[in-house]
Amino acid sequence: MLSLCMIVRDEAATLKRCIESAQGVADEIIVVDTGSVDRTVDIAKALGADVHSFTWDDDFAAARNESLRHAKGDWILVLDADEMLVPAVVPTLRAAVQRDDAIAITLWREETGTTYPYSLLSRLFRNRPDIVFSRPYHESIDDSVTAILAQAPQWQVVELPGIAIRHTGYQTAVIAQRQKHDRARRTMERYLNEHPDDSYICSKLGALYADMGDLAQGIALLHQGLQTATAAPVRYELHYHLGSIYSQQQDWAQADAHFQQAVEQPLSQRLKLGAYNNWGSMLKDRGELVRARTLYQTVLAIEPDLAVGHYNLGLTLKAMGDLGLAIAHYERAIQLNPTYAEAHQNLGVALLKAGRVSDSLESFQRAIVLYEQQDSPEGARLRDSLQQMGLLNTTRH
């Protein structure tokens, strides 16, 4: 028996989609509500969930552990409301939980709206009282599992191949919420004051400082994390964030060094795509096009069907004057992600440079429609630019 465990608050927009994605594998659904004022609770109950209330106290681990407390299954699957279980993974998942030696199963998650397209998370694990979540923010069961393995090394942590979860929670409209950032900052600061050697929290909080515009404090905390970090995933994140911040500051030597150290960590290549992408973008913007091209070719060697990889390689090839190959990569990016507005726009630019005016206008118009559907001001800017160039009629249809 497998229990789906969730914590929710005001998730009416996405909860149904999430729960339905897991109904093919979950034998019971546990939903812990932390104070919803919308229809979240009603939706959960209508879908057959066992719903419980929990008073929120700025501690995600505590809420997660409350959901585990109600689970009756032998295995627990944890999802958030802005995630979906990929249907194709269900047979593999069912087989994995039959393994007698597996204590936890890590799942690949595909991200939307970030520069790192994949995460590997401990979201499927045996229902045992000694497996609990820790840390009030960016909570995980990893510390519990590590402690168990130290005492009972016969257990295995199994990695499920393929993408198991799709996540939309990092889209720009969501992460731009200042209140959410402030709450996360306060929660992690309190925890770090009590656990100053926690390199994982140094990484997460340092990156958050940088996102909020405090680059100096972010850099200091990330370097603090490097002093104690031993796990390769944490060291990768620390170097990745430092590379990205130093790139923002145009400290090219430091950025180069940290991106290099990030990609040298002993991790799955798929987890390093964010570093390769950001490093390539930095080099492209600096005019180091040959190195940038090599990095994006590496990205596509790791993940041939990554739309952003084709898009970035297209940008680099266009800057190198290879319009034919640039067009091919833009078209491939669009084939993989038809709603990729930036790819449609830059395809239009490349087609215009290649003298294919009619085709370019078609791409530009498609980009405008997509930008407008996505509530992006880029649509209006692109329309104005095309009108000023005399390529688009001033009358809107």
Side-chain angles (χ1 to χ4, degrees), residues 257-376:
H258 284 288
F259 281 133
Q260 182 69 52
Q261 290 182 76
V263 301
E264 288 176 355
Q265 296 302 312
L267 293 173
S268 164
Q269 285 289 84
R270 184 185 269 174
L271 287 173
K272 302 176 189 178
L273 288 170
Y276 283 119
N277 269 322
N278 282 18
W279 196 3
S281 294
M282 181 190 81
L283 294 172
K284 175 177 60 65
D285 293 343
R286 288 177 59 193
E288 294 191 43
L289 300 178
V290 173
R291 288 182 69 197
R293 180 183 62 188
T294 299
L295 286 171
Y296 289 132
Q297 288 170 338
T298 300
V299 166
L300 292 176
I302 297 167
E303 196 72 19
D305 292 337
L306 186 63
V308 70
H310 286 282
Y311 172 72
N312 285 330
L313 183 54
L315 290 176
T316 305
L317 291 166
K318 180 171 72 70
M320 297 177 81
D322 193 338
L323 292 178
L325 266 181
I327 289 168
H329 282 286
Y330 290 142
E331 289 175 338
R332 180 60 179 149
I334 291 166
Q335 184 182 22
L336 292 164
N337 179 6
T339 63
Y340 203 154
E342 294 88 347
H344 284 281
Q345 179 177 351
N346 280 278
L347 174 60
V349 172
L351 290 169
L352 188 61
K353 286 181 176 290
R356 296 167 56 181
V357 178
S358 177
D359 291 337
S360 74
L361 286 177
E362 186 177 331
S363 292
F364 285 137
Q365 287 168 335
R366 180 60 181 152
I368 290 170
V369 169
L370 288 169
Y371 280 133
E372 290 175 345
Q373 289 174 351
Q374 297 161 13
D375 294 323
S376 169

Side-chain angles (χ1 to χ4, degrees), residues 2 15 48 78 81 115 129 134 145 180 186-187 192 204 214 216 232 234 267 278 301 330 355 359 366 378 382-383:
L2 185 146
L15 182 60
V78 172
T115 57
S134 58
V145 172
K180 179 181 177 182
R186 290 193 302 270
T187 301
L192 189 63
K204 297 301 185 183
D214 192 343
V234 178
L267 293 173
N278 282 18
Y330 290 142
D359 291 337
R366 180 60 181 152
E378 291 302 319
L382 177 56
R383 184 186 298 278

Side-chain angles (χ1 to χ4, degrees), residues 14-72:
T14 58
L15 182 60
K16 184 173 186 290
R17 180 186 66 186
C18 174
I19 290 178
E20 287 180 344
S21 75
Q23 285 179 330
V25 70
D27 299 293
E28 71 167 354
I29 302 162
I30 306 296
V31 171
V32 167
D33 183 77
T34 62
S36 294
V37 295
D38 64 2
R39 295 187 58 252
T40 292
V41 170
D42 292 336
I43 292 169
K45 288 180 177 178
L47 291 167
D50 180 16
V51 180
H52 302 269
S53 296
F54 183 75
T55 302
W56 180 248
D57 60 353
D58 283 337
D59 190 332
F60 281 92
R64 295 278 188 208
N65 292 332
E66 175 67 9
S67 73
L68 304 188
R69 191 173 69 82
H70 296 284
K72 300 179 182 67

Side-chain angles (χ1 to χ4, degrees), residues 25-179:
V25 70
D27 299 293
E28 71 167 354
I29 302 162
I30 306 296
V31 171
V32 167
D33 183 77
T34 62
S36 294
V37 295
D38 64 2
R39 295 187 58 252
T40 292
V41 170
D42 292 336
I43 292 169
K45 288 180 177 178
L47 291 167
D50 180 16
V51 180
H52 302 269
S53 296
F54 183 75
T55 302
W56 180 248
D57 60 353
D58 283 337
D59 190 332
F60 281 92
R64 295 278 188 208
N65 292 332
E66 175 67 9
S67 73
L68 304 188
R69 191 173 69 82
H70 296 284
K72 300 179 182 67
D74 303 305
W75 283 83
I76 290 172
L77 170 67
V78 172
L79 291 176
D80 288 332
D82 57 7
E83 298 173 334
M84 292 181 295
L85 195 67
V86 176
V89 84
V90 170
T92 313
L93 190 153
R94 285 191 178 279
V97 298
Q98 298 304 314
R99 288 187 51 160
D100 291 335
D101 62 342
I103 192 166
I105 298 166
T106 55
L107 305 179
W108 283 100
R109 183 174 74 177
E110 182 180 75
E111 310 289 358
T112 301
T114 71
T115 57
Y116 47 96
Y118 302 105
S119 301
L120 187 60
L121 305 171
S122 303
R123 291 293 199 83
L124 181 60
F125 49 91
R126 289 187 183 271
N127 186 0
R128 296 172 41 138
D130 53 353
I131 298 182
V132 294
F133 284 88
S134 58
R135 298 188 184 88
Y137 204 85
H138 291 292
E139 69 287 358
S140 80
I141 62 160
D142 292 348
D143 290 347
S144 288
V145 172
T146 298
I148 293 169
L149 294 177
Q151 298 297 319
Q154 71 271 17
W155 287 112
Q156 300 292 318
V157 175
V158 179
E159 179 184 317
L160 204 68
I163 304 303
I165 300 171
R166 291 205 170 93
H167 180 220
T168 60
Y170 287 137
Q171 293 183 49
T172 302
V174 176
I175 65 172
Q177 297 173 13
R178 180 77 188 194
Q179 186 177 8

